[in-house]
Amino acid sequence: MRDRAILLCWLSAVVAITFVHDPRVLGALLLISLAAQGRSAPKIALRALVAVALVNVTVSAAFVVSAWLAGADWMTFVLRLNLRVFLLALLTFWMIRHVDLARAAAPWPSLQFLVVLALGQIRTFTSLLADYRMAFSSRSPTRPPLRVRFGSAGRQASAMLEKAERQSEELNQGMRARGFFDREFLQ
Amino acid sequence: MHIPDGLIAPQAYLAAAAIAIPCWAYAVKRVSTALDEAAIPRLAVLTALAFVLSTIMLPLPGGTSAHLYGMGLLVLAFGLWPAFLAFSLVLALQALLLGAGGITALPVNALTMGLVGGAVVVGARSLLGASRSAWATVLPVWLGVVVAATGLALVLGAQPLLGSDAAGRPLFFPFGPAVTLPVIVLPHMIIGLLEGVLTWMVLGMLESRRATT
């Protein structure tokens, strides 16, 4: 219940913020959000900053140059864009810290299982892919040519595809064996 | 190539959500009907696969690399609707767990990259008939990537028209299609070609492995 409430509040806040355009209001909201996060504020702010830096710096720099060449004001837009995007990212990282997605999906067992299974499979595939990459780099004392790197990327993708087909069948059998597909379980 | 929160006007993302929600509902119905009880495990694994495929690096000349988009491979291996659902779930998980992309931009990203890009791959592949040549895979995937990138560029480029303040300053993404189209689409013409070649290689490897086992 708590997770769903936080998720809903966050979603409403994100939508509402996209209707706010005054940089002073966005700045005030940003300060309030930072203050509300207490001691974890610097850590969350840093994560949010890293997440948005590339897009914000690129768009802002291009806008500053084009506005400067046209002799137009750029400060208001740059403040508006950066404050809004940073505020949204900050709220998202705050939500990520406080919400357990699987618990939030509890009223819908099928969705909850889908989320839990997908997250588990992502971990499995990610670690498998890391193994492939490490094996490839350990076999390549010097930087391999483009053709070889391309072949390696292709083999990684095809191994993932094959693994996915097998995993899907195994999961299906496992879920059936545990009675997941019984009517009363899904209600 | 997906868009983060804060750059898209509410008029655009709410309209995209109004289109995406029935598409997701239809996709769920199609997948559930086709797969029955296997739908949940199949979708979970496909979602994980789409997530991991997007972390595979496409090597580019000069020692650099780009992320694999993966939609062409998913569509050709598993069909449009399961691939669209899995791709949308990946975007949602990336937004809700990693803060990558954005929840307001999710419908736009899912529709352009997942549905439109995927449908183009399927359409182009079926137009080429039963051809087994490399181009019968490379061309549809290239076209899917380029059309998806063009869709995103057009959505971003439309933002200055959707909102400006009293002084005419933009409220959201500030550049029109004259900037977004070349900046987004041109690199994706190269990425799409590499992705097409990689997809052809992967499907070929799978086919030959299946033939030998």
Side-chain angles (χ1 to χ4, degrees):
Chain A
M1 184 68 190
R2 179 186 159 274
D3 295 84
R4 274 200 310 287
I6 295 175
L7 202 60
L8 200 64
C9 285
W10 164 78
L11 194 59
S12 312
V14 166
V15 171
I17 285 164
T18 59
F19 286 91
V20 178
H21 307 304
D22 187 336
R24 286 165 302 184
V25 179
L26 288 167
L29 289 171
L30 184 61
L31 288 177
I32 293 168
S33 305
L34 283 169
Q37 290 176 25
R39 279 187 301 178
S40 58
K43 204 173 173 182
I44 294 181
L46 186 66
R47 281 190 72 187
L49 200 63
V50 170
V52 302
L54 185 65
V55 171
N56 276 21
V57 168
T58 310
V59 176
S60 301
F63 186 79
V64 168
V65 171
S66 66
W68 180 70
L69 289 173
D73 165 49
W74 51 265
M75 184 64 88
T76 311
F77 171 76
V78 169
L79 274 176
R80 180 187 292 142
L81 174 90
N82 285 283
L83 288 171
R84 187 197 288 128
V85 174
F86 183 54
L87 175 60
L88 291 172
L90 194 76
L91 289 176
T92 300
F93 282 107
W94 172 82
M95 179 277 295
I96 289 169
R97 207 178 161 93
H98 289 89
V99 170
D100 181 333
L101 261 191
R103 270 210 305 259
W108 306 280
S110 299
L111 180 65
Q112 190 182 33
F113 267 83
L114 182 60
V115 170
V116 171
L117 283 177
L119 294 179
Q121 292 302 309
I122 286 172
R123 280 197 197 102
T124 308
F125 284 156
T126 309
S127 88
L128 192 66
L129 194 62
D131 285 349
Y132 287 146
R133 279 184 187 147
M134 281 191 282
F136 180 66
S137 65
S138 73
R139 288 196 306 270
S140 318
T142 57
R143 189 172 182 79
L146 183 67
R147 190 179 50 79
V148 176
R149 286 190 291 137
F150 211 80
S152 167
R155 275 187 293 279
Q156 286 172 20
S158 82
M160 292 293 141
L161 225 67
E162 267 191 308
K163 176 98 178 153
E165 287 193 335
R166 264 186 258 125
Q167 290 280 92
S168 156
E169 188 51 39
E170 275 175 29
L171 275 175
N172 191 23
Q173 287 169 355
M175 287 169 75
R176 190 184 297 128
R178 286 162 182 79
F180 177 85
F181 300 117
D182 296 349
R183 191 174 289 273
E184 61 273 20
F185 197 95
L186 286 168
Q187 279 170 351
Chain B
M1 67 176 157
H2 47 286
I3 308 169
D5 276 331
L7 297 180
I8 304 267
Q11 301 97 303
Y13 72 71
L14 291 174
I19 301 169
I21 290 168
C23 291
W24 284 324
Y26 179 71
V28 167
K29 199 176 160 194
R30 282 285 299 257
V31 172
S32 308
T33 311
L35 298 173
D36 194 18
E37 64 181 29
I40 291 175
R42 183 84 161 170
L43 257 184
V45 172
L46 263 185
T47 304
L49 179 67
F51 186 94
V52 175
L53 282 179
S54 72
T55 67
I56 290 179
M57 306 305 281
L58 268 177
L60 296 178
T64 57
S65 58
H67 286 286
L68 184 71
Y69 165 48
M71 189 61 196
L73 185 54
L74 285 174
V75 164
L76 291 176
F78 302 103
L80 176 63
W81 295 105
F84 168 57
L85 266 189
F87 197 76
S88 303
L89 270 166
V90 166
L91 291 175
L93 289 177
Q94 283 177 339
L96 295 172
L97 294 173
L98 306 174
I103 200 73
T104 58
L106 172 67
V108 174
N109 287 326
L111 284 177
T112 49
M113 296 194 286
L115 190 59
V116 177
V120 168
V121 174
V122 172
R125 183 72 188 85
S126 63
L127 277 179
L128 292 169
S131 169
R132 294 174 71 84
S133 73
W135 285 108
T137 302
V138 176
L139 197 64
V141 173
W142 177 81
L143 205 58
V145 171
V146 171
V147 169
T150 307
L152 275 187
L154 288 174
V155 171
L156 268 181
Q159 300 313 302
L161 302 172
L162 295 175
S164 56
D165 60 16
R169 288 174 298 237
L171 296 178
F172 298 95
F173 188 78
F175 302 111
V179 173
T180 56
L181 279 171
V183 166
I184 296 177
V185 177
L186 288 178
H188 281 92
M189 291 178 114
I190 299 165
I191 291 171
L193 187 66
L194 294 173
E195 178 134 354
V197 173
L198 195 81
T199 304
W200 166 70
M201 275 172 57
V202 171
L203 293 176
M205 281 177 200
L206 271 182
E207 213 167 284
S208 61
R209 251 185 247 177
R210 275 179 196 148
T212 53
T213 52

